[in-house]
Amino acid sequence: MNASKTSHSRMRVTEVEEFLKNPPDGFSVEELSSGHRVHSDPEKSLVLIDDFNSCRREIVFLNSVGRKVKMQNLWEYTSMRKSLLSKRIYLLMSACEENFSVNDKKAANEERVAVLKQFVVSINANDPFIKWQMEKGLDWSISSVAGESYRLDIDLTEIMENWAVKNSSVITDKLTKVQPVWRDASFTLKYYSDALFDFAHWFGFSKRTFCLRLT
């Protein structure tokens, strides 16, 4: 197995460069002078990746709906829910290292972490255990769609922290082990209702988070 790639029936973690060089089934990569365009089959994959730069080249996932998904009616919610419970979900995550050498206060706020490597992480939402968690989390986050707005964050930080413990050599070439800080290890669902008096949403009470796990 390539050292930059690990596989699990429920999860795969692939370095961005490896993903572009050897895309998985259902993906193809078009190389341009400015970067790469990544094509995927929306019937099989749910891509939640925003445009980004790698090695100063722009990477665009053409069929991506983005990491923050907005839904405005029952049909959009039902369609997204079906995808979340049946397809393979793809996310971009960054393994970062805290930068303790920054002294300037303003710079410290902007450069608090340094990106070590970026990974494309895929979760098999059709796996019975993952599907059960996702369905339970969606049902828990909101009792009904019509009449209220909500925001739901699905957090994969614990999954990536556990993965990093076993794959520290993939993240960095340093002799000393690095405990990475994970950036963008979640995705967000935002549902906007047309209700006139959506007090829970106005006051921030409709925000929910649940953590996805592999075991």
Side-chain angles (χ1 to χ4, degrees):
M1 182 186 297
N2 192 304
S4 64
K5 184 174 181 179
T6 185
S7 298
H8 191 285
S9 61
R10 293 173 178 163
M11 180 179 76
R12 296 194 193 107
V13 180
T14 312
E15 288 185 38
V16 167
E17 295 304 319
E18 177 65 19
F19 185 95
L20 296 174
K21 183 180 178 181
N22 296 302
D25 293 341
F27 286 80
S28 62
V29 178
E30 180 183 0
E31 188 167 356
L32 307 172
S33 58
S34 59
H36 297 82
R37 287 179 185 166
V38 182
H39 304 260
S40 60
D41 183 355
E43 296 298 318
K44 297 180 180 179
S45 304
L46 176 60
V47 181
L48 304 171
I49 300 177
D50 297 326
D51 297 349
F52 67 101
N53 291 305
S54 177
C55 300
R56 298 183 180 180
R57 305 190 73 189
E58 185 179 29
I59 315 297
V60 178
F61 283 75
L62 292 179
N63 294 318
S64 173
V65 296
R67 198 169 59 85
K68 295 182 179 180
V69 183
K70 296 180 180 180
M71 300 160 287
Q72 295 182 313
N73 55 55
L74 181 60
W75 183 88
E76 290 179 353
Y77 171 80
T78 303
S79 178
M80 178 54 58
R81 182 186 176 97
K82 182 179 178 181
S83 295
L84 287 168
L85 297 175
S86 61
K87 298 179 181 179
R88 193 159 199 114
I89 301 170
Y90 289 81
L91 299 158
L92 176 76
M93 301 185 193
S94 300
C96 304
E97 183 179 19
E98 288 190 280
N99 187 354
F100 296 105
S101 62
V102 178
N103 295 318
D104 182 77
K105 186 175 181 180
K106 182 179 178 181
N109 291 331
E110 298 175 354
E111 307 291 341
R112 188 176 182 83
V113 294
V115 176
L116 296 171
K117 283 186 181 177
Q118 292 176 299
F119 299 91
V120 176
V121 179
S122 71
I123 300 292
N124 182 12
N126 201 36
D127 175 87
F129 182 65
I130 298 294
K131 186 173 183 177
W132 172 79
Q133 287 185 82
M134 193 74 73
E135 192 167 26
K136 184 179 178 182
L138 292 172
D139 290 343
W140 163 79
S141 66
I142 186 170
S143 57
S144 65
V145 175
E148 63 178 300
S149 302
Y150 75 94
R151 169 178 172 149
L152 174 62
D153 295 321
I154 295 92
D155 191 354
L156 287 77
T157 302
E158 182 177 324
I159 289 177
M160 298 313 300
E161 288 176 345
N162 292 337
W163 176 85
V165 171
K166 301 176 182 178
N167 296 274
S168 59
S169 61
V170 177
I171 297 172
T172 179
D173 297 327
K174 295 181 179 179
L175 295 177
T176 56
K177 287 188 176 181
V178 174
Q179 184 175 354
V181 176
W182 289 96
R183 178 183 291 173
D184 297 332
S186 66
F187 62 95
T188 302
L189 305 179
K190 294 182 177 181
Y191 181 84
Y192 294 98
S193 169
D194 57 1
L196 295 178
F197 302 103
D198 200 348
F199 294 111
H201 181 68
W202 293 350
F203 292 104
F205 299 132
S206 57
K207 295 181 181 179
R208 300 285 188 273
T209 301
F210 78 85
C211 299
L212 203 61
R213 296 180 174 86
L214 292 185
T215 57

